[in-house]
Amino acid sequence: GIQVEQSPPDLILQEGANSTLRCNFSDSVNNLQWFHQNPWGQLINLFYIPSGTKQNGRLSATTVATERYSLLYISSSQTTDSGVYFCAVSLTSGTYKYIFGTGTRLKVLA
Amino acid sequence: NAGVTQTPKFRVLKTGQSMTLLCAQDMNHEYMYWYRQDPGMGLRLIHYSVGEGTTAKGEVPDGYNVSRLKKQNFLLGLESAAPSQTSVYFCASSTGTGSGNYGYTFGSGTRLTVV
């Protein structure tokens, strides 16, 4: 089946720093999402981004489907950005069964 | 604006006991999903439904059953709980085809411990 790899697995930043998280996938995908899981376990959808670039405040994401990767950019990081970031991809249209990567654990220090 | 609601939030079961987890969504979403999350891992799909009265198996369906008798509810059942089913269970929903945005809305999770 499809492999979803995220890098780096762990990241520690000083508040105010910028970072780039990467998601590589082994097959063509129709759909891709980025999620943030906060320290209390809540999963929040950040972007639905099957292709192209989107921005939402300090966060932006780019997916290059033809090259099988997606990037999540975090600028001017804050302690509230801490948690785990998951990339999830879906191969098939119509059912939207997403396969999740193992995540990037981010810790932002004050 | 409740979104996706999961009950219960926490549960401890003895091996062999049964229980049902309830997921309710008020967004009129067609599709619903049950995932489990184990420590240090991503989420794995257990079962899903593409509409009222339909269910299908995901990646790790063994030991679980599901039902979707009403569009807004998706139930996950454990008939005979095993310690390997200790996990955090997440329900999610999404719109059907044609909406243009197939992103998930997740519930807050159910932490299940089987002893």
Side-chain angles (χ1 to χ4, degrees):
Chain A
I2 189 169
Q3 302 296 315
V4 183
E5 296 181 353
Q6 293 186 241
S7 60
D10 296 280
L11 185 59
I12 299 175
L13 296 176
Q14 204 66 38
E15 199 169 28
N18 302 327
S19 62
T20 300
L21 282 58
R22 188 176 180 101
C23 173
N24 291 333
F25 38 93
S26 61
D27 206 340
S28 299
V29 299
N30 289 325
N31 302 281
L32 187 146
Q33 302 184 72
W34 283 97
F35 294 92
H36 175 222
Q37 188 168 36
N38 65 26
W40 297 272
Q42 181 68 36
L43 282 156
I44 305 297
N45 183 304
L46 298 175
F47 295 103
Y48 168 74
I49 183 166
S51 63
T53 297
K54 291 185 177 180
Q55 181 158 6
N56 184 1
R58 297 182 295 102
L59 302 180
S60 64
T62 296
T63 297
V64 184
T66 54
E67 297 187 20
R68 301 181 183 175
Y69 73 89
S70 183
L71 302 174
L72 178 69
Y73 305 95
I74 304 174
S75 64
S76 304
S77 59
Q78 301 176 358
T79 56
T80 53
D81 295 331
S82 296
V84 183
Y85 290 82
F86 290 105
C87 166
V89 302
S90 170
L91 289 175
T92 57
S93 59
T95 58
Y96 310 108
K97 298 183 295 178
Y98 282 86
I99 306 299
F100 282 73
T102 53
T104 292
R105 186 175 299 274
L106 173 65
K107 186 167 186 177
V108 181
L109 303 176
Chain B
N1 58 350
V4 178
T5 302
Q6 291 184 233
T7 53
K9 296 191 183 310
F10 303 94
R11 186 73 185 268
V12 178
L13 284 180
K14 294 183 178 179
T15 298
Q17 287 185 319
S18 63
M19 77 164 295
T20 300
L21 282 66
L22 172 63
C23 177
Q25 53 95 4
D26 62 1
M27 297 171 287
N28 201 34
H29 283 173
E30 287 294 327
Y31 299 165
M32 298 185 74
Y33 315 83
W34 276 106
Y35 284 84
R36 61 177 288 172
Q37 183 178 30
D38 299 302
M41 299 181 66
L43 281 74
R44 293 181 292 170
L45 182 64
I46 304 171
H47 285 282
Y48 65 100
S49 167
V50 298
E52 181 179 318
T54 73
T55 63
K57 295 180 179 180
E59 301 172 78
V60 288
D62 293 343
Y64 305 95
N65 57 75
V66 287
S67 65
R68 192 154 177 218
L69 299 179
K70 295 183 178 181
K71 183 177 183 179
Q72 63 268 33
N73 296 337
F74 195 29
L75 279 62
L76 178 71
L78 286 73
E79 290 187 347
S80 180
S84 61
Q85 295 178 303
T86 294
S87 189
V88 181
Y89 292 85
F90 286 97
C91 175
S93 68
S94 67
T95 60
T97 57
S99 68
N101 184 340
Y102 308 112
Y104 278 2
T105 300
F106 273 102
S108 58
T110 295
R111 185 173 298 274
L112 175 66
T113 302
V114 183
V115 298

